[in-house]
Amino acid sequence: MSSTARQPFTGLFPVAPTPFLEDGALDLEGQRRVMDCMIDQGVDGICILANYSEQFLLSDDERETLTRLCLEHVAGRVPVMVTCSHFSTDIAAARAKSAAGQGAAILMMMPPYHGAALRADEKHIFEHFQRVSEAAGIPVMVQDAPLSGVTLSVPFLVRMARELELVRYFKIETPQAAAKLRALVEAGGDVIEGPFDGEEAITMMADLDAGATGTMSSALLPDLLRPVFDHHRAGNRAEAAKAYAHVLPLVNYENRQCGLRAAKTVMQEGGVIGCDRVRHPMEQIHPATREGLLELAREVQPLALSWGK
């Protein structure tokens, strides 16, 4: 696929949570409602099976079920990004090919790692992304996150973008992400098609200032991040900063106190899903933390807090 033949992906690409029933089984109807709510939030795309989707607690069969369900239910209303990370290149490539065949618009993948010490070197990381992107035939976003323990240098990321036509999107979640985004954009120029940030938008303003063209928050409040992005893109930084300051207490509380549980809790409160359960060995949100989260959410009223009521 030629890079000139596809529309660059930009804007809000939040991560969809994976809802469970009280007994821990997949809540498939709840998943459909999550996707509908996110589309109503005005997103530019949706990412599924990411870390904030609890992908590390899903079986292979559950992954296939969720991929099929989400792509069929969204039905092209917005682009869907499917995460296909795995240490095995063959498994990652098979996941990627399957997702692309079912209608995924773009993939996301971390560099190969397993545990604290089993990682690939740059040669094999390059080959990993090369083989996966060739198997899928659609764009692949590199997820540069501390969770992997893999250091991805700016020169190496730029080399991948220059030599692998389908690997030109980058989600930067490292400490001082803005500095890395700025360096990536400056060094790579036009081959960096999609510099994105993550971490629930906790560094969104700085990252937009550094040249980010997209952001990947949770599904908690993308509708309230929309004016931040739109004002910034229009060159009205003062209004973007004002909109960001309005939601920053909630963004900060999610990032530092709740993690992936926040979106589920707000969606349960808002009638999107029936249960905010996370799977063991993750710990359920503490009642006091839950109330603190909802107190801040009520002050700014994200759509997820009322969508199902």
Side-chain angles (χ1 to χ4, degrees):
M1 179 187 295
S2 169
S3 62
T4 60
R6 59 177 184 265
Q7 182 72 26
F9 300 108
T10 64
L12 308 177
F13 267 74
V15 173
T18 302
F20 303 115
L21 302 173
E22 288 288 354
D23 64 1
L26 295 178
D27 178 3
L28 299 182
E29 182 54 35
Q31 190 72 65
R32 295 183 182 95
R33 289 172 62 80
V34 165
M35 307 307 279
D36 288 338
C37 176
M38 293 179 71
I39 290 170
D40 287 348
Q41 289 169 327
V43 302
D44 296 298
I46 297 173
C47 178
I48 64 171
L49 299 175
N51 293 327
Y52 257 48
S53 312
E54 297 176 70
Q55 61 87 12
F56 38 77
L57 293 167
L58 299 171
S59 70
D60 290 345
D61 287 345
E62 287 174 330
R63 287 181 54 90
E64 278 298 308
T65 295
L66 290 168
T67 300
R68 187 178 310 109
L69 179 151
C70 291
L71 288 167
E72 288 180 355
H73 189 69
V74 171
R77 288 179 285 172
V78 296
V80 176
M81 177 188 298
V82 180
T83 310
C84 58
S85 302
H86 200 282
F87 184 73
S88 163
T89 302
D90 288 343
I91 294 174
R95 288 178 173 180
K97 184 176 181 180
S98 175
Q102 294 179 66
I106 180 173
L107 306 168
M108 184 168 72
M109 190 167 67
M110 299 182 76
Y113 76 99
H114 184 74
L118 190 56
R119 307 185 187 103
D121 60 16
E122 285 191 355
K123 174 181 183 296
H124 293 97
I125 293 172
F126 184 95
E127 292 173 352
H128 187 81
F129 279 92
Q130 180 180 39
R131 294 180 188 180
V132 170
S133 63
E134 288 174 352
I138 61 175
V140 178
M141 175 178 282
V142 180
Q143 185 177 6
D144 182 11
L147 179 65
S148 71
V150 177
T151 299
L152 297 171
S153 70
V154 167
F156 177 64
L157 295 178
V158 170
R159 180 196 161 207
M160 283 207 293
R162 286 179 175 157
E163 298 182 24
L164 301 176
E165 184 182 10
L166 293 172
V167 185
R168 293 179 173 176
Y169 287 83
F170 303 90
K171 181 185 181 186
I172 306 300
E173 301 180 89
T174 58
Q176 295 157 9
K180 190 165 188 176
L181 280 162
R182 186 174 290 109
L184 181 65
V185 171
E186 289 177 353
D190 290 343
V191 298
I192 309 300
E193 290 185 21
F196 276 57
D197 81 342
E199 288 200 295
E200 306 82 73
I202 191 68
T203 60
M204 183 178 176
M205 273 298 298
D207 296 340
L208 290 174
D209 288 343
T213 58
T215 186
M216 295 181 67
S217 66
S218 77
L220 173 61
L221 73 167
D223 51 307
L224 301 182
L225 297 176
R226 167 59 65 192
V228 182
F229 184 83
D230 287 350
H231 283 308
H232 198 283
R233 180 167 53 182
N236 193 341
R237 191 185 181 282
E239 286 301 312
K242 182 178 178 181
Y244 188 57
H246 178 62
V247 298
L248 188 54
L250 179 57
V251 170
N252 179 73
Y253 198 89
E254 174 187 27
N255 182 277
R256 302 309 297 263
Q257 306 299 330
C258 304
L260 62 83
R261 300 168 300 180
K264 283 187 166 185
T265 292
V266 170
M267 283 188 164
Q268 181 191 33
E269 184 72 11
V272 182
I273 57 177
C275 176
D276 65 353
R277 176 190 173 97
V278 292
R279 279 184 169 174
H280 193 274
M282 295 198 67
E283 186 177 6
Q284 301 302 127
I285 192 168
H286 190 279
T289 304
R290 185 180 195 278
E291 186 51 42
L293 172 69
L294 293 176
E295 178 183 39
L296 290 171
R298 292 182 189 112
E299 291 180 5
V300 295
Q301 288 293 312
L303 179 63
L305 191 60
S306 61
W307 184 86
K309 292 183 175 179

